[in-house]
Amino acid sequence: MNFLLQTIHRELTCLMDSNRILYRVEIVDIIEISQAYSHKKYELTYSMNEMEKNMVREFNNKDLDVVMKIWLDTNTKAHDFIPQNYWQDNYEEVKRMLPEAEIFVYENNHKIKGFIGLLDHYIAGIFIDLRCQSQGIGKALLDQAKKNHSDLSLQVYKSNEGAVRFYVREGFTLVREQMDENTGEAELAMEWAK
């Protein structure tokens, strides 16, 4: 490791280039080869996403308004087969009950991009900001739940095909098909175990 540190020489500049940060590092190879040494320059490029801080952490009450906005937006978009007023009518009850659940949020650069809610081993839902879907956030949240539990169960609307595919891909198996009494929609009960 000391040798590697010794090879890094002088120059480290950071240049902004629209969506990318460029790091230019001049590395001097100090090994003598035939009484000469060579200079090598390397450009290392990192996308902004790699530089941003991502983390899954426990929910706290100051997160409630942001989490509820994600909950409402996601349910309205993902469940367009259910009247929008169903979600609006249940908003206040969910907001009241949410802090009683086990919740983890996904933060990117100190901004909440999604969350998972659990009641014991039951996943009440995974909700991702509409602008951030299909970026691995749901998987990161689900992995956190899997780390904390040896088995998990959930119910997902059959018509929410993207969510069904996601859970199947993540190792959940179908237990039964049933009817959600509140919406009249078919839903799938699914389970996962280590």
Side-chain angles (χ1 to χ4, degrees):
M1 188 62 147
N2 284 341
F3 173 76
L4 182 60
L5 292 174
Q6 290 171 0
T7 63
I8 297 176
H9 180 67
R10 285 182 229 125
E11 182 185 347
L12 176 65
T13 57
C14 179
L15 309 165
M16 283 298 257
D17 174 32
S18 64
N19 291 336
R20 302 177 79 74
I21 292 180
L22 267 172
Y23 282 96
R24 184 179 302 260
V25 181
E26 183 177 338
I27 298 177
V28 177
D29 184 354
I30 62 173
I31 299 174
E32 290 185 17
I33 302 172
S34 300
Q35 299 183 332
Y37 68 92
S38 61
H39 286 270
K40 297 180 183 176
K41 290 186 179 181
Y42 297 92
E43 285 186 6
L44 306 176
T45 306
Y46 298 93
S47 69
M48 288 295 287
N49 288 340
E50 292 169 319
M51 300 304 296
E52 293 170 340
K53 184 177 181 184
N54 299 322
M55 68 181 292
V56 175
R57 64 164 174 82
E58 288 185 19
F59 167 89
N60 59 57
N61 285 330
K62 70 179 176 62
D63 302 327
L64 188 58
D65 289 338
V66 174
V67 161
M68 285 306 301
K69 179 174 180 2
I70 292 171
W71 177 86
L72 183 60
D73 291 349
T74 304
N75 274 316
T76 302
K77 173 82 172 170
H79 306 121
D80 58 358
F81 46 89
I82 295 172
Q84 189 172 359
N85 65 339
Y86 173 80
W87 306 110
Q88 293 165 339
D89 292 347
N90 285 286
Y91 181 91
E92 289 302 325
E93 183 179 354
V94 171
K95 187 174 182 178
R96 182 182 55 77
M97 294 173 53
L98 203 77
E100 298 170 15
E102 177 186 9
I103 299 171
F104 292 94
V105 298
Y106 182 98
E107 262 188 0
N108 175 265
N109 245 7
H110 307 289
K111 292 185 177 153
I112 296 171
K113 303 297 185 182
F115 72 97
I116 184 171
L118 298 115
L119 301 168
D120 294 321
H121 296 257
Y122 177 76
I123 298 175
I126 299 176
F127 305 92
I128 311 300
D129 184 308
L130 295 175
R131 297 162 295 184
C132 302
Q133 295 184 351
S134 300
Q135 296 178 14
I137 296 171
K139 178 168 176 36
L141 289 164
L142 184 56
D143 286 348
Q144 179 67 45
K146 286 178 174 180
K147 196 179 341 178
N148 295 344
H149 300 279
S150 58
D151 60 275
L152 295 165
S153 64
L154 61 86
Q155 294 168 359
V156 60
Y157 289 113
K158 185 177 182 179
S159 296
N160 189 353
E161 295 172 358
V164 173
R165 282 193 304 273
F166 169 75
Y167 289 121
V168 168
R169 188 177 69 236
E170 294 303 316
F172 283 78
T173 56
L174 177 64
V175 177
R176 68 186 168 281
E177 186 173 330
Q178 58 199 28
M179 193 66 66
D180 176 17
E181 295 175 8
N182 295 315
T183 62
E185 288 288 327
E187 61 182 8
L188 307 177
M190 304 182 83
E191 292 180 352
W192 170 88
K194 282 186 181 174

